[in-house]
């Protein structure tokens, strides 16, 4: 589990999402309270902001996580390399 600091409500615990099966994405973590996801790929970690629980559920269940990211997340969410 990763701790997310700086959340105005409280410090949140990021939960690692199970069964991430992707050549490109190594792991996904998500905090429903802050609606922030963490995506690890190629040794880098990115925060993905304003991801609703429904969007995260659709992303994790997508046939291709990378394709879903490129089509539905990358174009409309704030993404920060951390």
């Amino acid at each position: 589990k990763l701790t997310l600091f700086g959340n105005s409500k409280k410090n949140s615990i990021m939960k690692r999402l199970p069964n991430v099966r992707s050549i490109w994405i190594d792991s996904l973590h998500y905090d429903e309270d802050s609606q922030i996801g963490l995506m690890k790929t190629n040794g880098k970690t990115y925060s993905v902001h304003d991801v609703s629980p429904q969007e995260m559920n659709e992303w994790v269940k997508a046939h291709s996580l990378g394709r879903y990211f490129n089509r539905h997340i990358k174009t409309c969410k704030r993404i920060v390399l951390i």
Side-chain angles (χ1 to χ4, degrees):
K1 292 182 178 178
L2 301 172
T3 303
L4 176 66
F5 294 98
N7 184 334
S8 59
K9 295 183 217 172
K10 61 181 179 180
N11 289 339
S12 299
I13 301 297
M14 302 289 282
K15 295 180 182 172
R16 184 177 181 146
L17 301 176
N19 303 323
V20 172
R21 69 227 172 284
S22 174
I23 295 170
W24 184 62
I25 298 173
D26 299 322
S27 68
L28 287 172
H29 295 75
Y30 184 63
D31 178 64
E32 190 171 329
D33 290 336
S34 64
Q35 295 196 346
I36 294 176
L38 292 181
M39 176 181 69
K40 293 186 178 190
T41 179
N42 297 322
K44 297 179 183 175
T45 302
Y46 298 88
S47 60
V48 183
H49 298 260
D50 301 317
V51 180
S52 72
Q54 180 181 348
E55 289 171 312
M56 184 56 77
N57 189 45
E58 290 172 3
W59 187 6
V60 171
K61 289 183 176 182
H63 177 70
S64 169
L65 300 179
R67 184 176 296 140
Y68 187 91
F69 172 81
N70 285 324
R71 290 184 179 169
H72 302 284
I73 303 292
K74 184 178 177 180
T75 58
C76 62
K77 301 295 179 188
R78 192 178 99 183
I79 301 166
V80 179
L81 175 63
I82 55 175

